[in-house]
Amino acid sequence: MPPPVLRFAPSPNGFLHLGHAFSALLNFQSARQREGRLLLRIEDIDATRCRPEFETAIYQDLAWLGVSWERPVRRQSEHLADYRAALDRLAALGVLYPSFESRAEIAALVKAREANGAWPRDPDGAPLYPGTAKSLPAIDRDRRLRSGAPFALRLDMEAARRLAGDLAWIERGSGPDGETGEILARPEIWGDVVLARKDIPTSYHLSVVIDDALQGVTEVMRGLDLFRSTAVHRLLQKILDLPQPVYHHHDLIRDSEGRKLSKSSEATGLRELRARGITPAQVRGLVGLP
């Protein structure tokens, strides 16, 4: 078998913390032990939050940890044409539509529907899209697009599920309830997810799938908080005829109160720890690695 290709893909919207160190070290260790390749990808599609100084800090922190990666680094902001091409393919398949409601309007729609009972929510706790843009007449849809109105491009989940058929992925780690091995994918629990917006021609779900395929990633090793998202990624891989990597979801590093670490907490930031004299070997010990 060819050597595995893994990747570490942080967003430069803050400084790295112990949770990032754990994931980066796991990927690096796995690639090195199996004579594989480790890629670094900078997921910087959010221009409002991503900053050059955070990207520079990513390189510095990883080098300090002893993590090495292949060059060149893929920066998502330099490959927007790849995501537009994928959106064009999805549109041609008839599984993409624009919705025009603002976040406030969507919240109001959800509130109105919850007057009659609980409205379904996705695994992250966000309400499923409650609007009717999917059934908007084509003439009205085109008029709104020509007017320059803001919009989100959503995946028609029902149509995409019909097109894809049965879905599953191979899990070498484990899910929240210990799921491992062949996992049945149920992307419908996410509803009609947003794949792009007028001002940002992609989303996490779309860009991560396209990037993994174009970079030849064979194994995705990432945090447990993304386990449920894999169902959406498998759906996109299937309908876009992209290769299927193996997945390995690992435990999260949490704070003393059991909460997922945040980039806003300096106490677990790698730069802060380095300034306090903590060594890379001690960082490994803090995250439970030998």
Side-chain angles (χ1 to χ4, degrees):
M1 293 181 62
V5 180
L6 297 95
R7 48 78 162 173
F8 178 60
S11 294
N13 55 12
F15 295 117
L16 300 187
H17 53 58
L18 284 175
H20 297 111
F22 181 54
S23 192
L25 288 167
L26 281 178
N27 275 279
F28 176 61
Q29 179 176 288
S30 181
R32 184 173 59 179
Q33 289 176 345
R34 295 185 285 160
E35 299 184 348
R37 301 164 54 204
L38 177 63
L39 311 179
L40 176 61
R41 182 163 73 227
I42 300 298
E43 299 194 339
D44 60 345
I45 58 174
D46 186 349
T48 61
R49 298 177 61 205
C50 295
R51 289 159 38 188
E53 58 265 37
F54 292 143
E55 182 175 340
T56 298
I58 287 171
Y59 304 138
Q60 294 171 341
D61 287 341
L62 292 179
W64 174 70
L65 285 174
V67 173
S68 58
W69 58 91
E70 287 190 6
R71 272 70 170 181
V73 171
R74 180 178 174 94
R75 302 176 72 247
Q76 289 182 334
S77 60
E78 298 172 349
H79 298 277
L80 299 182
D82 293 333
Y83 314 131
R84 291 192 185 97
L87 290 170
D88 289 343
R89 289 184 60 191
L90 292 170
L93 290 170
V95 297
L96 201 65
Y97 69 91
S99 65
F100 300 94
E101 300 94 343
S102 67
R103 288 181 172 85
E105 289 170 332
I106 288 177
L109 287 171
V110 171
K111 184 177 181 180
R113 283 156 175 72
E114 288 186 329
N116 299 316
W119 184 254
R121 296 176 179 267
D122 68 26
D124 288 340
L128 301 193
Y129 173 63
T132 58
K134 185 162 54 176
S135 59
L136 193 67
I139 188 170
D140 292 336
R141 183 179 297 171
D142 293 342
R143 175 179 54 80
R144 293 194 186 189
L145 290 173
R146 288 196 303 270
S147 74
F151 63 85
L153 287 176
R154 294 183 179 274
L155 181 68
D156 184 337
M157 185 60 70
E158 184 179 357
R161 287 296 279 125
R162 287 197 303 268
L163 191 63
D166 294 336
L167 292 167
W169 79 85
I170 301 301
E171 177 63 49
R172 288 183 177 165
S174 62
D177 298 316
E179 305 96 327
T180 192
E182 186 175 45
I183 307 297
L184 180 67
R186 296 181 55 243
E188 58 272 13
I189 63 177
W190 292 94
D192 289 0
V193 293
V194 172
L195 294 186
R197 298 185 184 276
K198 179 185 177 182
D199 55 338
I200 305 178
T202 188
S203 65
Y204 170 72
H205 290 310
L206 181 66
S207 56
V208 73
V209 164
I210 299 302
D211 290 342
D212 285 342
L214 290 177
Q215 292 190 282
V217 171
T218 62
E219 183 171 337
V220 175
M221 184 177 290
R222 61 189 182 187
L224 187 61
D225 53 331
L226 292 169
F227 179 83
R228 302 296 183 198
S229 296
T230 310
V232 176
H233 302 166
R234 279 296 299 125
L235 175 60
L236 291 172
Q237 289 160 356
K238 183 72 174 292
I239 61 180
L240 289 170
D241 195 26
L242 301 176
Q244 175 185 352
V246 169
Y247 288 86
H248 183 133
H249 292 90
H250 58 72
D251 288 337
L252 300 177
I253 303 298
R254 301 184 183 274
D255 63 17
S256 59
E257 297 182 7
R259 295 173 300 193
K260 175 185 171 183
L261 297 184
S262 167
K263 288 180 178 177
S264 63
S265 174
E266 294 184 359
T268 58
L270 297 186
R271 290 168 63 86
E272 173 70 13
L273 293 172
R274 186 161 71 247
R276 287 163 45 195
I278 300 296
T279 67
Q282 288 173 311
V283 167
R284 296 182 67 92
L286 288 171
V287 299
L289 292 176

